[in-house]
Amino acid sequence: MRITMIGSGNVATHLAAAFKNAGHYIAQVYSRDMHHAALLAYHVGAEAIDDLQKVNPETDLLVISVKDDAIIPIAKDLARYQKLTVHTSGATDIEALSAIIANAGVFYPLQTLSKNKEVDFKTVPLCIEGANEEIALQLDQLAQTISHKVYRINSVQRKTLHLAAVFACNFPNYLYDVARQLLEKQQMEFEMLRPLILETAQKVQDHLPAEVQTGPAIRNDQSTMGAHLQMLDDKPALKTIYTLLSQQIITNDNAGH
Amino acid sequence: MRITMIGSGNVATHLAAAFKNAGHYIAQVYSRDMHHAALLAYHVGAEAIDDLQKVNPETDLLVISVKDDAIIPIAKDLARYQKLTVHTSGATDIEALSAIIANAGVFYPLQTLSKNKEVDFKTVPLCIEGANEEIALQLDQLAQTISHKVYRINSVQRKTLHLAAVFACNFPNYLYDVARQLLEKQQMEFEMLRPLILETAQKVQDHLPAEVQTGPAIRNDQSTMGAHLQMLDDKPALKTIYTLLSQQIITNDNAGH
């Protein structure tokens, strides 16, 4: 397929590389910032542009991968081409592409993508939605060329998935940093916790989280939790987080989950 | 070494197996519950006992791996043997072994151990402490036979490490379950999130968490966070957790961490 990338951020960068690796042709990369456009364009052998007027109409797919609040104005601008157009946002309804709805779809990679970290795209779940069945099929086929895990979900499901990803990824990563800060205060290296963090994630690859929950809260070990809270006496926010999450683990367990 | 296991829980089970695999001899396994003692004893070729009076004094090391509040009474009971005696608790001071302090140490594996999940013990950080340098050296040598990652830390550091492990492991695992519950409500499988969870943990294996933080909070994307909070309207506890953790991510970032 001949693909035009609108955007040059983390998602655009990883998607463009995956498309190119799968044998697709990246025609152009657009960014408001020519420098950013040029950098990604160089990597995928595309033309860099910083003006939506310069989008070449000879393309099969326009991929809008920009900040959520820029999707609607850009979609309006691109509507004149009447080409297959997708956005890549987990939090955004397909209706954001209403200006071009007859050709609209969503192509949402469910992964934490940073420019400085490579990822095997074959393992990245791709969540697709089409304004109609024909579009959905076309996106499904395209998705299969770059990933083994393709899911068809609707906009309501996708928004839930995006919220769930915050709990499954963004919040755990912040808690890793809390742990690092606690260790630092006692002259210990974050390195000590890395095997624990990895094993915690590996455990739920073939178990459900509730089956492998460990720690003082699931044992309702009040004396350890009391000692932990005392150690957090000078960190009121962490104390609140500790209390709240521990209570939830205890309650969750009692609910039989 | 000739080793006696006092306890038959998760930590005792994994440690006993690791010792045996490294060529040590497990003489006896004690549990108050003969059934539990017998099960582990069978796996490691040891004698099962359910009475501390029956501990064979011909042993090189007594490993107390029981609930934290049982360590002190058991240590008192075992003091008459005057053998090298360690506990395996992250949350417990070496002073809990004061009845036998001249022969006391700590042997704390920093990992989330479930009986139903095997783990490569070579990668498990072992945190050791000795009542004196001679004991520390002896435990260091023993630890090296079963793990590549041996750390010498004191009781204050170990308690901090144990607290940090709650933030790095127990709380993330609970948040995985929150994500699972959110998906379930919309007829989606937890399977969709597994690659994201694994990648989140893999990312911090060679980066620091703050370097790879993603999501709406780190972007201070108020509109997405607002939409997420609205989706949690019927779940007040999750709403509080979402708000609190997001605020922390924003503040943490501003603090330049």
Side-chain angles (χ1 to χ4, degrees), chain A residues 194-234:
Chain A
R194 284 184 164 131
L196 176 67
I197 287 170
L198 191 58
E199 172 70 8
T200 303
Q202 276 170 344
K203 262 187 168 176
V204 298
Q205 298 303 306
D206 46 17
H207 290 83
L208 290 176
E211 295 168 6
V212 292
Q213 183 70 52
T214 55
I218 194 73
R219 299 192 305 268
N220 204 352
D221 177 346
Q222 293 291 339
S223 119
T224 300
M225 288 188 278
H228 282 169
L229 286 173
Q230 219 177 319
M231 294 168 73
L232 294 172
D233 249 346
D234 57 335

Side-chain angles (χ1 to χ4, degrees), chain B residues 44-59:
Chain B
V44 295
E47 179 193 2
I49 54 173
D50 61 356
D51 182 349
L52 287 175
Q53 304 287 338
K54 294 185 187 152
V55 167
N56 186 335
E58 297 298 309
T59 188

Side-chain angles (χ1 to χ4, degrees), chain A residues 10 67-69 91 110-114 116-119 123-125 127 149 151 153-154 156-184 186-188 190-217 219 221 223-224 227-229 231-232 237-246 248-249 252 257, chain B residues 10 67-69 91 110-114 116-120 123-125 127 149 151 153-154 156-184 186-188 190-217 219 221 223-224 227-229 231-232 237-246 248-249 252 257:
Chain A
N10 290 343
K67 285 208 175 114
D68 288 357
D69 55 8
L110 176 58
Q111 190 50 282
T112 167
L113 302 169
S114 303
N116 56 352
K117 169 75 171 70
E118 289 212 13
V119 61
T123 68
V124 175
C127 304
K149 295 168 191 276
Y151 297 94
I153 58 173
N154 62 38
V156 174
Q157 288 176 312
R158 190 174 54 255
K159 283 183 218 173
T160 298
L161 193 56
H162 187 257
L163 171 61
V166 171
F167 281 94
C169 162
N170 305 150
F171 290 164
N173 187 74
Y174 163 69
L175 295 174
Y176 302 160
D177 192 57
V178 170
R180 184 197 62 74
Q181 291 177 35
L182 290 169
L183 259 58
E184 192 179 48
Q186 287 290 333
Q187 290 80 47
M188 289 180 287
F190 179 64
E191 175 62 24
M192 296 183 77
L193 287 171
R194 284 184 164 131
L196 176 67
I197 287 170
L198 191 58
E199 172 70 8
T200 303
Q202 276 170 344
K203 262 187 168 176
V204 298
Q205 298 303 306
D206 46 17
H207 290 83
L208 290 176
E211 295 168 6
V212 292
Q213 183 70 52
T214 55
R219 299 192 305 268
D221 177 346
S223 119
T224 300
H228 282 169
L229 286 173
M231 294 168 73
L232 294 172
L238 295 187
K239 203 166 175 173
T240 309
I241 290 170
Y242 187 100
T243 305
L244 206 54
L245 290 174
S246 296
Q248 285 294 109
I249 291 172
N252 205 32
H257 290 294
Chain B
N10 290 343
K67 284 204 176 118
D68 289 356
D69 55 8
L110 176 60
Q111 190 49 284
T112 167
L113 301 168
S114 303
N116 56 353
K117 170 74 170 67
E118 289 212 11
V119 61
D120 176 8
T123 68
V124 175
C127 304
K149 293 166 193 277
Y151 296 93
I153 59 173
N154 61 38
V156 174
Q157 288 176 311
R158 190 173 55 256
K159 283 184 216 171
T160 299
L161 194 56
H162 187 256
L163 171 61
V166 171
F167 281 94
C169 161
N170 305 150
F171 290 163
N173 187 74
Y174 163 69
L175 295 174
Y176 302 160
D177 192 57
V178 170
R180 184 198 63 75
Q181 291 177 36
L182 290 169
L183 259 58
E184 192 179 45
Q186 287 290 334
Q187 289 81 48
M188 290 180 286
F190 179 65
E191 175 62 24
M192 295 182 78
L193 286 171
R194 284 185 164 132
L196 176 66
I197 287 170
L198 192 58
E199 172 69 9
T200 304
Q202 277 170 343
K203 262 186 169 177
V204 298
Q205 299 302 306
D206 45 19
H207 290 83
L208 291 176
E211 295 167 5
V212 292
Q213 183 69 52
T214 56
R219 298 192 304 268
D221 176 348
S223 118
T224 299
H228 283 170
L229 286 173
M231 294 169 75
L232 294 172
L238 295 187
K239 205 167 172 171
T240 309
I241 290 170
Y242 187 100
T243 306
L244 207 53
L245 291 174
S246 296
Q248 284 295 108
I249 291 171
N252 206 30
H257 288 294

